[in-house]
Amino acid sequence: MEHAKIRHSKNKIRNALLTILKEKSIDKITVSDLTKTAMVNRSTFYSHYADKADLIEDLEGYFINEIETILNTTFKNNSIENGVVMSIQQLIVFALEPVNFNFLKIMLSENGDPNFANKITQSISNQISLVTVLDNHLSTYIKRFVSRGLIELVIIWIGDDDRPDPQEFIELVKKTQLLSPVQLILNQN
């Protein structure tokens, strides 16, 4: 277990990154920006992280690990169809927690990590591989289509100041996962 002082320092640095990302793109942020905003010295930063990329990997890794835990638990105890529906609900509940929502909103914005959505997509695609019998070359296309579509919906929803309420959004996502694109277009109600 991490010592409370270490956890406190790391949290200050993580929060500094998220604060700066509201104003500045990730590639423009320096370690000096981080230490100044976090009010820690450079040696404190480097005692926890090798560099800025290590800090970003730490934050994103935690988030992706949480997503994988939700998906593993949900799919392990349900049929594939029920697992899809229930995992969507669990992921939205997780994303709605204020800390997670703010993290997603920042990291999936234009100032955030441009690779973060791809990392989440790959994680979801990997989870799909664990619960399906799709193992031919075309299954790569299907997994990517399903997982990337889900992430794109979340990106739009999080960035929409006039977003539908969570339950309405969950219903929309369920439809996108259970209906064909043509059915979605023809039945937009």
Side-chain angles (χ1 to χ4, degrees):
M1 177 114 184
E2 215 171 39
H3 188 274
K5 190 174 178 180
I6 293 171
R7 196 169 43 252
H8 179 70
S9 299
K10 284 180 147 183
N11 283 337
K12 286 174 70 172
I13 296 166
R14 291 172 184 146
N15 289 333
L17 174 65
L18 296 176
T19 298
I20 298 167
L21 280 170
K22 292 176 184 173
E23 305 296 325
K24 201 173 192 180
S25 83
I26 205 163
D27 58 328
K28 303 276 192 237
I29 296 174
T30 65
V31 171
S32 293
D33 294 332
L34 293 165
T35 57
K36 188 183 305 178
T37 303
M39 294 187 284
V40 299
N41 60 42
R42 289 178 75 84
S43 64
T44 300
F45 177 89
Y46 287 114
S47 70
H48 301 305
Y49 302 104
D51 53 22
K52 178 181 72 171
D54 189 32
L55 166 62
I56 293 165
E57 190 65 35
D58 178 52
L59 277 168
E60 292 176 348
Y62 165 78
F63 196 85
I64 289 171
N65 187 51
E66 290 297 309
I67 289 172
E68 289 173 353
T69 300
I70 290 168
L71 293 174
N72 276 332
T73 304
T74 306
F75 277 111
K76 187 184 296 182
N77 301 318
N78 293 286
S79 68
I80 291 174
E81 187 172 307
N82 285 341
V84 168
V85 171
M86 292 179 74
S87 64
I88 291 165
Q89 292 169 326
Q90 294 296 320
L91 288 172
I92 299 304
V93 167
F94 173 72
L96 282 173
E97 291 176 22
V99 171
N100 297 335
F101 186 85
N102 290 332
F103 176 76
L104 277 172
K105 187 167 186 162
I106 292 166
M107 292 305 285
L108 293 172
S109 74
E110 61 187 30
N111 281 348
D113 179 1
N115 294 314
F116 186 51
N118 288 334
K119 292 174 186 176
I120 297 173
T121 299
Q122 187 60 51
S123 175
I124 293 171
S125 184
N126 291 344
Q127 294 302 313
I128 292 170
S129 294
L130 295 175
V131 298
T132 63
V133 292
L134 297 174
D135 64 356
N136 60 37
H137 181 67
L138 292 179
S139 68
T140 302
Y141 294 90
I142 295 166
K143 291 182 290 189
R144 182 71 181 195
F145 175 77
V146 170
S147 55
R148 190 61 193 201
L150 176 59
I151 294 306
E152 287 301 321
L153 286 172
V154 170
I155 290 170
I156 293 167
W157 183 66
I158 285 175
D160 184 359
D161 291 331
D162 191 31
R163 73 184 64 79
D165 69 61
Q167 194 54 47
E168 188 178 0
F169 181 68
I170 288 169
E171 291 304 316
L172 170 67
V173 173
K174 280 196 247 181
K175 285 181 185 177
T176 66
Q177 299 300 303
L178 300 174
L179 299 175
S180 75
V182 172
Q183 289 172 312
L184 286 171
I185 291 168
L186 294 176
N187 300 305
Q188 292 183 29
N189 302 335

